[in-house]
Amino acid sequence: MHPSFFQSFSRKVLDRCTAASSGSPFLIINKAMMISSVSSSASVATRSIGPWAVATGLASGIAFSTFLYGESTSEAISTTQNGASSRSNKKDKTYEYFLAGQNDDKKGQQAANLRKRMTAIGKFSLRSQTDSNPSQPTFFLALSNHTRDKSVTKDPTMTASEFRETWYRKNMHRKHPRFHSKVSSCGDFFEPVNYYNSKYSEGVVDTYDSHVSETLHMNVYRQDLKNRIETFLTDVMDVTEKLWEVQISSGDVGTSGGISHKRSQELWKETQELQPTTSGSGSGSGTETIPKETIMLFRSHHSLADAVSIVAALGDLLDEAEEIKEKIKCHLDRQKKKIQKCSTLQKLWKFIKSFMWFLFGSIQAIMRHGYLILTTPRNPFLDVQELSNSGGHCVNMNSAGCGRSISWCDVAPVDEAKRVAKTIGGPKTTVNDVFVSCVTAAVAKQLAQHRRCHKTSCDTKTRSTVHKYNTINVVIPAHLAGGILPPGREIGNLIGAFVAKVPGELDERVSPTDRLKMVHKSLVTVKGSPASILSYMFAKFASNYLPEPLAKTLFLKSNANAAVAITNSKGYEQKVHINGRTVENMAGFYPLPPGLPIGVVVQSYGNTISLSVTAEKWAVPDADIFLDWILEEYRLLYAEACAMS
């Protein structure tokens, strides 16, 4: 695919998808960021939206022009006392009066009546979720009391009151007013909460206490944190009350499992080295300093924004926020200057090529997705679910029940994973290809374990069995803006996805290297197509025009019976800080949509790649074992790469 296709097209995508912004010039995101947007920052967590129901003519003509130049769905609605409503243009700031620092209670109550129209993707997330599969991305930040210069902070842990002070000091309520909103009763608008505090922060509606809570720290290593993550993922949030929340807890380093065991030992060692020595007192002075950690567990509803945008917005809380914004601004300025250097004819030629890429690429993507749906009539894990429901499975599976199986861990340095990818697969093979290959190998082992478990089951009456699948479908969510939230732009939903057929249960003679090459071959074509953009457009169309039952049905069909969703979230290359405390770890967890039993997040932070697994317990009874299978496949790839080099 020609690089110029994306240089002109993706900037129009970003401009139209974020029409609620301040009207800044077109922003140019290069081809690598657009095609490989599965490596966007934070991810956490998004859903599969298939393009198969979009008509070819819509994709090739009307949809293209509407998507680039059509009416924005984020227009502001100001409800007056007589019930009339007035529609404003894109530059009209709905929350300006709400955030103007008014001290008059009456004006504050009037501000509480201002509403803003939800995005189509936000409405779609509300309509497509179920009670057992709420659309609630979840992630945690693990902080230590060690600073950038390896000293110890004066206050060892973060408290709810400190977080509150930081939130308002960093002007989060003005930069991202949607955080102080809820969904209206009709489900079509965002509106400020219904209570008003004129004594705090210059009359801003104070929603803090309903969003932030301080809890007891974890006692059982990893398990307590797993339980809390599972609760956040499965307990349905009342979006008419709030759209996000965070739980804060603090304790000794290493007690929760949020910070890896290896890093926890390093922090204990560093703390002992910083321990002041008292002459003649030895080690029994009674003033030994214990390293502390703070776990900040977040969740938000997808109607608020996608997980990537949420994490990017929360970046404004970091000590390095201004530095990060400046880097983004410089990058966008460089891309803008490249476009400005082009003549009118060059720009016109690029647009024509972009249109032709979208036209023919859309036809190909729709046909490919239709083929995947027709050739994959059954989800591989449906056999397992039927056996679990009928009791024709072993005791471990029956006891698993419903709920989520959770796990996470650090894997390898980013540079190491890149070397493995390039050494085995060639210069175009990506880190995402490597871990898609590793995850599919783990899925194959999980299905094989279910099959063995069924054969040894005490129940011999059932005729059902777990079939062998040589290929499986995977969903790859993609952030259309490359994971960037430009300064001044409001959070929103810019998530698409594509589906690809990859190797499943292969012959034992097939090596991990061969599997990786087959995975790369399967993904490279789809990643270069408009499939992710089409899925975004389909979600908007379904949300705005289709009845809710039909939209839900199409959504269930759209993932082409995929066995797993794998998203890649690219985080900060260097560790960041909040009020001096080092953010030692970030981990996001995929909110499983209906029909998808497993979600894996491949994320990088501080030059380290980590993985998280979220799965239905009947599909993956033990996520720790599943994660071990992924690591085992990676270690085999690493060994083969070392042998080749």
Side-chain angles (χ1 to χ4, degrees):
M1 194 63 59
H2 198 284
S4 61
F5 289 179
F6 283 93
Q7 289 179 342
S8 59
F9 184 78
S10 60
R11 62 190 172 92
K12 294 179 176 65
V13 169
L14 182 60
D15 186 75
R16 295 308 308 157
C17 291
T18 56
S21 64
S22 58
S24 59
F26 283 156
L27 301 174
I28 312 305
I29 309 298
N30 59 28
K31 179 186 177 185
M33 298 182 67
M34 184 64 188
I35 299 183
S36 302
S37 58
V38 287
S39 61
S40 58
S41 64
S43 182
V44 186
T46 55
R47 55 180 61 242
S48 162
I49 310 170
W52 68 275
V54 182
T56 303
L58 177 66
S60 60
I62 300 175
F64 182 80
S65 59
T66 302
F67 183 60
L68 294 184
Y69 306 109
E71 182 181 4
S72 168
T73 61
S74 57
E75 296 168 310
I77 300 294
S78 178
T79 304
T80 59
Q81 292 180 353
N82 61 6
S85 62
S86 59
R87 189 178 299 266
S88 65
N89 59 31
K90 290 183 289 185
K91 293 185 179 181
D92 181 24
K93 298 185 181 299
T94 312
Y95 287 92
E96 184 175 357
Y97 189 55
F98 160 56
L99 295 173
Q102 302 295 328
N103 291 320
D104 185 85
D105 285 346
K106 183 177 180 181
K107 293 181 178 180
Q109 294 293 344
Q110 292 174 352
N113 291 327
L114 295 178
R115 305 192 300 177
K116 190 169 186 179
R117 189 182 298 276
M118 290 179 62
T119 62
I121 304 300
K123 290 187 291 184
F124 187 79
S125 67
L126 283 172
R127 294 174 180 176
S128 60
Q129 71 175 8
T130 63
D131 291 341
S132 57
N133 294 88
S135 183
Q136 297 166 179
T138 299
F139 63 95
F140 70 77
L141 308 182
L143 285 64
S144 73
N145 62 331
H146 284 226
T147 63
R148 189 181 306 187
D149 58 359
K150 294 187 177 182
S151 61
V152 178
T153 58
K154 181 179 180 181
D155 297 322
T157 60
M158 172 79 75
T159 62
S161 58
E162 183 183 351
F163 184 84
R164 173 189 185 128
E165 187 275 332
T166 304
W167 182 271
Y168 288 110
R169 175 166 51 84
K170 295 283 188 175
N171 284 321
M172 293 292 290
H173 53 291
R174 290 187 170 87
K175 295 176 182 176
H176 309 288
R178 196 179 294 182
F179 278 119
H180 292 260
S181 303
K182 63 179 183 179
V183 175
S184 63
S185 57
C186 65
D188 291 331
F189 300 94
F190 290 121
E191 59 186 20
V193 291
N194 292 329
Y195 49 92
Y196 179 76
N197 186 347
S198 62
K199 297 182 179 179
Y200 193 81
S201 191
E202 298 179 334
V204 174
V205 173
D206 186 9
T207 65
Y208 177 85
D209 291 336
S210 66
H211 293 89
V212 183
S213 61
E214 202 163 346
T215 63
L216 294 175
H217 202 53
M218 298 78 179
N219 291 323
V220 182
Y221 180 71
R222 283 176 66 90
Q223 189 58 49
D224 283 353
L225 183 53
K226 285 183 181 181
N227 294 338
R228 295 185 187 185
I229 294 170
E230 180 183 0
T231 299
F232 265 33
L233 286 168
T234 56
D235 282 6
V236 180
M237 182 184 297
D238 186 357
V239 295
T240 62
E241 296 293 333
K242 58 185 176 183
L243 291 171
W244 66 279
E245 65 177 308
V246 55
Q247 286 184 358
I248 301 176
S249 66
S250 302
D252 296 345
V253 163
T255 55
S256 67
I259 301 175
S260 67
H261 181 68
K262 178 182 178 181
R263 179 55 183 159
S264 297
Q265 289 182 322
E266 293 174 354
L267 290 171
W268 277 90
K269 183 178 179 180
E270 292 174 7
T271 302
Q272 296 304 317
E273 292 174 353
L274 294 172
Q275 181 73 29
T277 58
T278 305
S279 59
S281 61
S283 59
S285 60
T287 59
E288 182 179 2
T289 302
I290 298 177
K292 297 293 183 179
E293 68 177 13
T294 298
I295 302 297
M296 303 173 67
L297 181 60
F298 290 84
R299 74 165 173 172
S300 62
H301 196 275
H302 205 286
S303 60
L304 173 65
D306 60 73
V308 175
S309 297
I310 291 292
V311 173
L314 291 177
D316 288 332
L317 292 172
L318 302 176
D319 298 345
E320 297 86 355
E322 295 303 321
E323 179 183 344
I324 294 171
K325 286 182 180 179
E326 187 61 29
K327 288 182 179 180
I328 294 175
K329 185 176 181 298
C330 291
H331 170 77
L332 297 176
D333 287 344
R334 287 195 301 268
Q335 298 297 328
K336 181 181 175 182
K337 289 178 181 178
K338 288 181 181 180
I339 296 299
Q340 289 177 340
K341 291 180 181 179
C342 297
S343 64
T344 302
L345 290 178
Q346 288 175 325
K347 293 179 181 179
L348 178 62
W349 176 239
K350 287 183 178 181
F351 176 80
I352 293 174
K353 288 192 294 184
S354 298
F355 179 81
M356 297 302 292
W357 164 79
F358 187 83
L359 170 63
F360 294 106
S362 297
I363 297 173
Q364 185 182 32
I366 293 170
M367 293 178 64
R368 183 190 299 111
H369 197 79
Y371 172 78
L372 291 178
I373 293 175
L374 293 175
T375 57
T376 316
R378 186 177 178 87
N379 192 301
F381 282 95
L382 191 58
D383 297 337
V384 181
Q385 187 179 29
E386 290 177 352
L387 288 171
S388 178
N389 293 337
S390 64
H393 221 313
C394 59
V395 176
N396 289 339
M397 302 305 164
N398 290 331
S399 62
C402 59
R404 298 290 183 268
S405 187
I406 307 290
S407 189
W408 67 92
C409 75
D410 292 341
V411 180
V414 174
D415 295 337
E416 177 187 295
K418 288 182 178 179
R419 286 197 302 270
V420 171
K422 307 304 179 187
T423 301
I424 294 179
K428 294 185 179 181
T429 305
T430 65
V431 171
N432 191 59
D433 296 340
V434 169
F435 286 101
V436 170
S437 178
C438 295
V439 171
T440 58
V443 170
K445 291 180 179 179
Q446 184 68 74
L447 290 171
Q449 185 193 63
H450 283 300
R451 190 178 304 111
R452 290 192 302 269
C453 190
H454 169 61
K455 289 180 179 180
T456 59
S457 173
C458 57
D459 185 358
T460 58
K461 295 181 180 180
T462 177
R463 294 183 179 181
S464 300
T465 185
V466 180
H467 297 87
K468 185 174 182 179
Y469 295 85
N470 294 326
T471 61
I472 60 174
N473 291 342
V474 297
V475 175
I476 309 292
H479 195 268
L480 301 183
I484 289 180
L485 186 65
R489 288 186 181 266
E490 194 175 352
I491 56 177
N493 286 286
L494 284 173
I495 288 294
F498 62 86
V499 182
K501 186 180 290 293
V502 296
E505 297 182 76
L506 302 177
D507 190 275
E508 293 180 355
R509 292 171 293 181
V510 177
S511 67
T513 294
D514 294 333
R515 177 185 286 272
L516 173 57
K517 291 179 178 179
M518 287 186 284
V519 167
H520 171 68
K521 184 178 179 181
S522 299
L523 294 180
V524 66
T525 303
V526 192
K527 287 192 289 187
S529 74
S532 298
I533 301 172
L534 289 174
S535 69
Y536 176 87
M537 295 166 60
F538 167 70
K540 291 181 65 175
F541 173 80
S543 175
N544 288 329
Y545 303 109
L546 297 184
E548 185 172 336
L550 178 59
K552 287 186 175 182
T553 301
L554 293 178
F555 176 71
L556 286 172
K557 296 288 186 181
S558 65
N559 64 29
N561 285 314
V564 60
I566 308 170
T567 182
N568 191 321
S569 174
K570 184 178 180 181
Y572 305 108
E573 294 181 358
Q574 304 295 327
K575 290 186 177 181
V576 292
H577 304 79
I578 300 179
N579 291 351
R581 300 178 187 86
T582 302
V583 180
E584 300 288 352
N585 190 22
M586 297 182 179
F589 298 88
Y590 195 89
L592 297 177
L596 266 174
I598 305 173
V600 177
V601 180
V602 183
Q603 48 212 342
S604 64
Y605 172 68
N607 199 36
T608 299
I609 292 178
S610 61
L611 298 174
S612 74
V613 176
T614 307
E616 301 280 4
K617 285 186 177 179
W618 54 261
V620 179
D622 192 332
D624 289 337
I625 295 177
F626 188 87
L627 195 54
D628 284 340
W629 288 332
I630 299 176
L631 298 178
E632 179 183 346
E633 185 76 4
Y634 175 78
R635 286 191 289 266
L636 292 174
L637 284 173
Y638 177 76
E640 292 181 8
C642 291
M644 293 174 64
S645 60

